[in-house]
Amino acid sequence: MRLLDAGRALFHARGINAVGIKEITDTAGVPKGSFYSYYDSKNAFVAAVIDDYWSTVVRDHGPLLTDPSVPPVSRLVAFFGALTRDHAQRGFALGCLLGNLALEVTDDNGQARQQLADVMDQWSALVGACLAQARDAGDITAATGTTELASMIIECWEGAVMRGRVDHSRIPFDRFLTVSLPRLLDTAHGPRPA
């Protein structure tokens, strides 16, 4: 666990290409040789860090999307509001680990890239399930498939996070919550009568 925590902190702050295995093991306080007892390569380690990060997001914020006592659209706002608070705790300076790594991985990082793709699919499914409940409740009509709409929302979110990181500002996060997300959900209502 110390290796994953160290890797996550270092990758989040500096990216995968700027961090070597020795720095990870030194930060974790373990011998370099112990790294290879758990991971056969840095690429496998990056994939494990991605999985660990996503597991934390699901553990900490996933219940916000699945709470049946709250209307589905309100759940979406609460989920992304909670993620915004996470970024605020870091001064909007680090960005999203998933988004950051997505910009760094190459075809040579096949295992890590595949893990990122899997996590993005899981995220879309989680948000999509909430959107499907909103559709079933009549809150949206979702002419666009709910998984596709979920992907659009996540892609818009990642853009806001990237801009927030550049500016060290919550403004893009607030714009996502008050403009982008409502507009994406509004378009899911379908055509309005003239």
Side-chain angles (χ1 to χ4, degrees), residues 62-90:
L64 294 170
L65 287 173
T66 58
D67 182 352
S69 69
V70 177
V73 170
S74 297
R75 287 186 236 157
L76 285 166
V77 173
F79 175 79
F80 286 106
L83 292 179
T84 297
R85 287 188 294 281
D86 289 349
H87 287 277
Q89 291 173 352
R90 298 185 300 267

Side-chain angles (χ1 to χ4, degrees), residues 34-184:
S34 67
F35 179 91
Y36 293 103
S37 297
Y38 298 101
Y39 307 100
D40 60 3
S41 66
K42 183 178 174 186
N43 190 36
F45 179 70
V46 173
V49 168
I50 291 165
D51 185 57
D52 180 64
Y53 176 79
W54 176 243
S55 295
T56 301
V57 170
V58 170
R59 181 196 70 218
D60 293 348
H61 304 309
L64 294 170
L65 287 173
T66 58
D67 182 352
S69 69
V70 177
V73 170
S74 297
R75 287 186 236 157
L76 285 166
V77 173
F79 175 79
F80 286 106
L83 292 179
T84 297
R85 287 188 294 281
D86 289 349
H87 287 277
Q89 291 173 352
R90 298 185 300 267
F92 302 101
L94 294 179
C96 170
L97 181 64
L98 300 176
N100 295 352
L101 296 182
L103 295 173
E104 273 197 272
V105 296
T106 66
D107 286 341
D108 293 337
N109 306 114
Q111 190 174 356
R113 191 178 57 74
Q114 185 59 54
Q115 186 63 31
L116 273 170
D118 291 347
V119 164
M120 289 299 195
D121 288 345
Q122 291 172 43
W123 193 359
S124 291
L126 189 62
V127 171
C130 188
L131 288 167
Q133 292 172 5
R135 181 197 58 217
D136 294 346
D139 296 335
I140 61 173
T141 57
T144 302
T146 54
T147 301
E148 185 175 320
L149 179 58
S151 294
M152 291 168 57
I153 289 169
I154 292 164
E155 290 155 8
C156 190
W157 165 257
E158 286 294 334
V161 173
M162 183 173 54
R163 179 63 189 266
R165 180 181 183 197
V166 169
D167 296 345
H168 288 207
S169 169
R170 79 172 295 120
I171 292 171
F173 294 83
D174 291 339
R175 189 167 37 238
F176 171 84
L177 289 169
T178 62
V179 179
S180 303
L181 182 60
R183 285 193 181 170
L184 285 166

